[in-house]
Amino acid sequence: AWKTCVKLKKSFKEEYRMRRVDGVYRWFLVSIQPIFDWNGNILYWNGTATDIDDHKKTERELALAKENAENANQTKTAFLANMSHEIRTPLGAILGFSELLKDVNLNSQMRDQYIETITRNGESLTKIIDDILDLAKVEAGRLEVEHIDFSLENLLFEVVELLSEKAKQKGIVVKLTLEENVPKNIYSDPTRLRQIFINIIGNAVKFTD
C-alpha cells in the first residue's frame, strides 16, 4: 500500500497492528499526506498514527454480540418450531383416543387401555410444555439442573412409546433394547435427558423413510 502511494503520489491511510516498545501489539490507524513542491515533486510526508485498539476491540465485541444474538434467535425459532410439532403428537393421541372412548361397544379392558394412553400422552404434553417454559428460564439465566435418582429404563420406554405412533405412520418401527449392563436407576436430570432422547429419536423417525 505504501509503495502504491509513493508511485501514484497519493495519500496513505491504513489500519494495522504495530508492536510498541513494551512488546504489546496494538491496532493503529496510520494516515499520511504527501507534501509537494511547486513542480509537483514530493518534499516530505506528513501524517499521524492513532491508537485505535480499544475501538477495534469494541467493534469485535459488538460483532460477536450480534452474531450470538442472531444465533440465539435462530435456535429459539427452531426450538419453538420443533416444540409446536412435538405438541401435536401427544395432543393427536389424546384427541384420537378420546374419540374412541365414545364407542358404546367398548369392553372395560379396551376402555382402561384408552384411558391409560390418554393419561400417558397428557403427561408427555405436560413435559413438552415444561420444555418450553425451560427456554424462558434459560433466557433469564434461572435454569437449574436436577440431580435425582430415576429409572432410565422407564424414561426410555416413555420416549419410545411417545414416538412409536409417529414412526408407525411412516411404516417404520421404534424398538427399545437394553443391554444387561445398563443400570436400572441412574443419578441425573430426567427432564434434560428426556429432551435429548426426544430430539435424537424424533429426528431419527423424521428422517427415516
Side-chain angles (χ1 to χ4, degrees):
W2 170 251
K3 286 180 179 178
T4 300
C5 290
V6 172
K7 182 179 180 180
L8 300 179
K9 297 181 180 181
K10 69 174 187 177
S11 59
F12 175 89
K13 192 172 185 179
E14 292 288 333
E15 292 180 2
Y16 51 82
R17 293 166 69 239
M18 292 196 294
R19 189 176 66 179
R20 303 188 308 191
V21 290
D22 59 3
V24 176
Y25 281 94
R26 292 182 68 86
W27 279 95
F28 284 83
L29 171 62
V30 177
S31 180
I32 305 175
Q33 184 73 31
I35 306 301
F36 301 96
D37 62 14
W38 291 105
N39 297 319
N41 299 313
I42 298 175
L43 291 174
Y44 58 88
W45 297 80
N46 188 25
T48 58
T50 306
D51 188 326
I52 59 168
D53 199 77
D54 293 337
H55 175 69
K56 295 288 284 188
K57 189 180 297 181
T58 302
E59 275 187 348
R60 290 194 297 270
E61 289 172 353
L62 287 174
L64 182 61
K66 181 183 178 183
E67 182 181 352
N68 288 338
E70 289 174 349
N71 289 338
N73 280 332
Q74 290 175 1
T75 301
K76 187 201 299 184
T77 300
F79 176 84
L80 292 175
N82 183 60
M83 285 299 100
S84 64
H85 180 72
E86 297 300 332
I87 285 172
R88 286 194 291 269
T89 300
L91 187 58
I94 292 169
L95 294 174
F97 282 97
S98 297
E99 192 66 28
L100 291 175
L101 280 175
K102 296 177 182 179
D103 187 352
V104 294
N105 298 319
L106 271 182
N107 58 47
S108 58
Q109 184 179 355
M110 293 295 291
R111 189 176 299 276
D112 290 343
Q113 184 180 335
Y114 290 170
I115 292 172
E116 183 183 345
T117 302
I118 291 170
T119 302
R120 191 167 53 249
N121 280 277
E123 291 171 352
S124 297
L125 187 57
T126 301
K127 290 166 186 170
I128 292 171
I129 293 171
D130 287 340
D131 291 349
I132 296 172
L133 295 177
D134 277 349
L135 178 63
K137 291 180 183 178
V138 168
E139 290 185 327
R142 294 188 292 105
L143 181 66
E144 295 181 1
V145 177
E146 289 183 306
H147 295 91
I148 59 176
D149 283 307
F150 64 94
S151 170
L152 177 62
E153 184 177 357
N154 288 346
L155 185 145
L156 287 168
F157 178 77
E158 290 174 8
V159 173
V160 169
E161 193 173 38
L162 173 65
L163 297 170
S164 60
E165 184 61 30
K166 187 188 299 183
K168 185 179 178 182
Q169 292 171 4
K170 295 188 68 178
I172 56 179
V173 176
V174 180
K175 183 181 178 182
L176 175 61
T177 304
L178 289 173
E179 298 292 336
E180 291 182 0
N181 60 348
V182 175
K184 295 296 181 184
N185 280 42
I186 62 173
Y187 184 69
S188 185
D189 188 330
T191 302
R192 309 292 165 253
L193 280 179
R194 186 181 291 104
Q195 291 171 343
I196 292 168
F197 287 134
I198 287 175
N199 280 326
I200 293 174
I201 301 171
N203 280 337
V205 171
K206 181 179 180 182
F207 294 109
T208 301
D209 295 324

